[in-house]
Amino acid sequence: MASAGSAVGLGNLWRFPTETGQHGGSAFLIVYLICVVCLGLPVMISEFVIGRSAHVSVGRAYSVLVPGSRWKWVGRLEVLTPFLILCYYNVVAGWTLRYAWESATGGFVKMASSGAGNAYESFFASFVSSAWQPVVCLFLFMAATHFVVVQGVSKGIERWSKVLMPGLFLILVFLVVSALTMSGAAEGLAFLFKPDFSKVDASVVLSAMGQAFFSLSLGMGILTTYASYFNDDADLGKSALSISAIDTFVAILAGMFIFPAVFTAGVAPSEGSSLLFIALPNVFQSVFGDLWILSYIVSLAFYLLLIVATLTSTISIHEAVTSYLVESFEWSRRKAATVVSCLCGSIGVLCALSIGAVPELTIGEMSLFDAFDYVTAKWLLPMGGLFITLFAGWRLSKQILLSEMTNRGTKSFALFKLLVFAIKWFCPVGIVLVFLNELDLLSF
Ligand code: PHE
């Protein structure tokens, strides 16, 4: 459940629709599903096997399994990536706070009654381009994450989130049903589900692969660390299957309410980061109309739950970096967490400003925010996945793999040969081909 909690987050609700919108809708969805099944599942199982057989968190897992080898660098790469992700993930996490606040103070209800068609769009644009609002929100979110990580109370949050996540799920289903009554529903669903393979190109494949890794929390050792806490009788194959299924289902639900709302509001689906934040208030308004009190309650509940879902993800990312520093440098937890929060917070401010008040903050053609997202999600995570499968397939003994998949021979695992093939050959070759293709070194 905790692994599913880490997996479900802004990746499903914010990043999935953004990527889908920018890469042609259904074409992206199909490639995404293929990536989840063919790459995501084997990588997740590999992370589980490494974590449960090493019994330590990812920073040290490789050194424990093959002492003194260069594989420890993979463990280090898997710490750098979450550090970089935290820098920009927190920016969007901060947005959820702002939206919860606006719901709580009745701002959205007022916007609805003002009758201006694009009120939500202008609200988002002016919030993001403000020089201080996104920065304050980012700090508040980082402070909350920091507090939880320092106090080591994440167990409490996880317990909470197990109760609250079904609530989020119910509201999502409600949003989908409501969105289906909107005037743009048919267009939105066609965009998401009507296959058009002519739109599949190299960048679609790279993006879909990156999104699969991001959304399933793969390629940075977080699930390796979680698996080191698994019971000996946990079924690794089944756990991987159910986590992937839950995560994918939530992403598709998100698409099913966001695209109808986006088409109804007349916003371009390729709009980018703003989709979730423009679509949502639109759905609330159109469902409840004049019943503003209902709209008030449901939208506030939604944003509060979104904050919890996001917090479980930021905690797991922060924790991954902090625990590495604690273990490797023998720093106190407080010192390690403070260093991580201050560094990520400062870089996060630059990321936040780069898509708003200071557009000059760019790397190449991209804003700093987009550059962080591009490098981590599209390159570093799949690269982490590549090394993980190479390790599990070629370095780890097959005996360990078999013993973990069958819980030391106490149960059968029929697909073992297929799994070994996927881990040894299919995933590494597949990931490298996608990379080469993106670099224009291949043309398919
Ligand atoms: N998978 C999370 C999401 O979908 C993000 C995340 C990535 C969390 C990596 C932990 C580690 O939002």
Side-chain angles (χ1 to χ4, degrees):
M1 283 301 279
S3 309
S6 162
V8 172
L10 289 176
N12 312 60
L13 297 164
W14 160 72
R15 203 172 183 284
F16 174 78
T18 304
E19 290 286 312
T20 309
Q22 287 177 334
H23 293 103
S26 58
F28 179 87
L29 179 63
I30 291 172
V31 184
Y32 175 73
L33 293 177
I34 297 175
C35 288
V36 168
V37 176
C38 299
L39 302 178
L41 270 178
V43 172
M44 190 181 286
I45 291 181
S46 306
E47 292 206 23
F48 283 171
V49 168
I50 296 172
R52 195 169 65 172
S53 57
H55 287 299
V56 288
S57 70
V58 66
R60 289 191 22 241
Y62 294 89
S63 321
V64 166
L65 291 171
V66 282
S69 78
R70 297 225 174 95
W71 285 101
K72 64 172 182 279
W73 283 98
V74 177
R76 289 181 187 164
L77 169 74
E78 291 182 39
V79 174
L80 172 71
T81 317
F83 174 83
L84 296 175
I85 289 190
L86 193 58
C87 296
Y88 79 94
Y89 196 86
N90 250 307
V91 175
V92 185
W95 297 351
T96 63
L97 284 185
R98 178 72 183 90
Y99 271 65
W101 174 255
E102 196 66 16
S103 295
T105 53
F108 290 129
V109 172
K110 260 193 231 119
M111 279 177 227
S113 58
S114 78
N118 58 0
Y120 305 123
E121 254 180 289
S122 359
F123 171 74
F124 181 81
S126 74
F127 163 58
V128 174
S129 57
S130 145
W132 60 273
Q133 290 190 36
V135 174
V136 172
C137 294
L138 164 105
F139 279 143
L140 288 177
F141 212 98
M142 187 58 115
T145 310
H146 178 84
F147 177 79
V148 175
V149 172
V150 169
Q151 301 290 318
V153 291
S154 52
K155 291 271 165 330
I157 303 269
E158 265 154 28
R159 226 170 289 142
W160 251 39
S161 78
K162 273 181 220 168
V163 183
L164 293 175
M165 282 311 103
L168 180 68
F169 184 75
L170 284 185
I171 297 197
L172 280 179
V173 173
F174 171 79
L175 287 176
V176 171
V177 175
S178 319
L180 295 183
T181 65
M182 297 172 81
S183 61
E187 227 181 324
L189 292 183
F191 178 77
L192 186 61
F193 293 121
K194 200 162 155 216
D196 177 358
F197 289 104
S198 65
K199 293 197 184 123
V200 178
D201 60 15
S203 85
V204 169
V205 180
L206 183 78
S207 303
M209 177 170 83
Q211 173 61 19
F213 279 86
F214 188 94
S215 190
L216 297 171
S217 306
L218 294 177
M220 57 166 124
I222 287 185
L223 294 186
T224 307
T225 302
Y226 277 22
S228 65
Y229 306 122
F230 281 4
N231 287 335
D232 280 346
D233 54 2
D235 185 326
L236 300 187
K238 267 198 201 133
S239 305
L241 203 60
S242 49
I243 294 169
S244 312
I246 294 175
D247 189 72
T248 307
F249 190 52
V250 172
I252 293 179
L253 283 183
M256 285 176 69
F257 78 79
I258 287 176
F259 290 109
V262 159
F263 279 95
T264 306
V267 177
S270 55
E271 190 70 20
S273 297
S274 55
L275 283 193
L276 168 70
F277 294 91
I278 294 175
L280 265 174
N282 263 308
V283 184
F284 291 130
Q285 181 205 349
S286 100
V287 179
F288 296 110
D290 291 338
L291 293 171
W292 65 267
I293 185 72
L294 284 182
S295 156
Y296 178 87
I297 294 172
V298 178
S299 87
L300 182 59
F302 180 84
Y303 286 114
L304 292 178
L305 291 171
L306 186 61
I307 289 174
V308 178
T310 308
L311 196 59
T312 54
S313 297
T314 53
I315 292 168
S316 71
I317 307 177
H318 196 303
E319 178 74 42
V321 189
T322 302
S323 59
Y324 174 77
L325 295 178
V326 170
E327 282 178 12
S328 308
F329 300 111
E330 293 179 3
W331 286 357
S332 70
R333 217 178 155 68
R334 179 176 299 274
K335 177 171 168 191
T338 308
V339 168
V340 175
S341 300
C342 291
L343 281 177
C344 286
S346 320
I347 303 175
V349 170
L350 300 178
C351 288
L353 295 177
S354 75
I355 43 173
V358 193
E360 295 78 16
L361 285 168
T362 53
I363 296 185
E365 305 268 278
M366 280 184 224
S367 67
L368 205 57
F369 178 94
D370 288 336
F372 266 69
D373 182 78
Y374 177 79
V375 170
T376 52
K378 296 186 182 167
W379 291 92
L380 293 180
L381 291 182
M383 209 179 285
L386 171 66
F387 289 126
I388 287 166
T389 47
L390 285 176
F391 181 81
W394 296 91
R395 189 66 179 80
L396 203 64
S397 85
K398 231 180 181 177
Q399 243 48 53
I400 297 190
L401 201 59
L402 183 65
S403 143
E404 288 297 333
M405 296 314 294
T406 57
N407 290 348
R408 287 149 315 284
T410 56
K411 60 182 260 314
S412 61
F413 182 68
L415 301 174
F416 188 67
K417 284 215 171 93
L418 185 65
L419 178 71
V420 172
F421 173 77
I423 293 179
K424 247 181 142 155
W425 293 104
F426 190 83
C427 290
V429 173
I431 296 171
V432 169
L433 285 182
V434 177
F435 280 162
L436 292 178
N437 191 34
E438 172 70 13
L439 294 171
D440 269 343
L441 297 173
L442 277 184
S443 52
F444 65 79

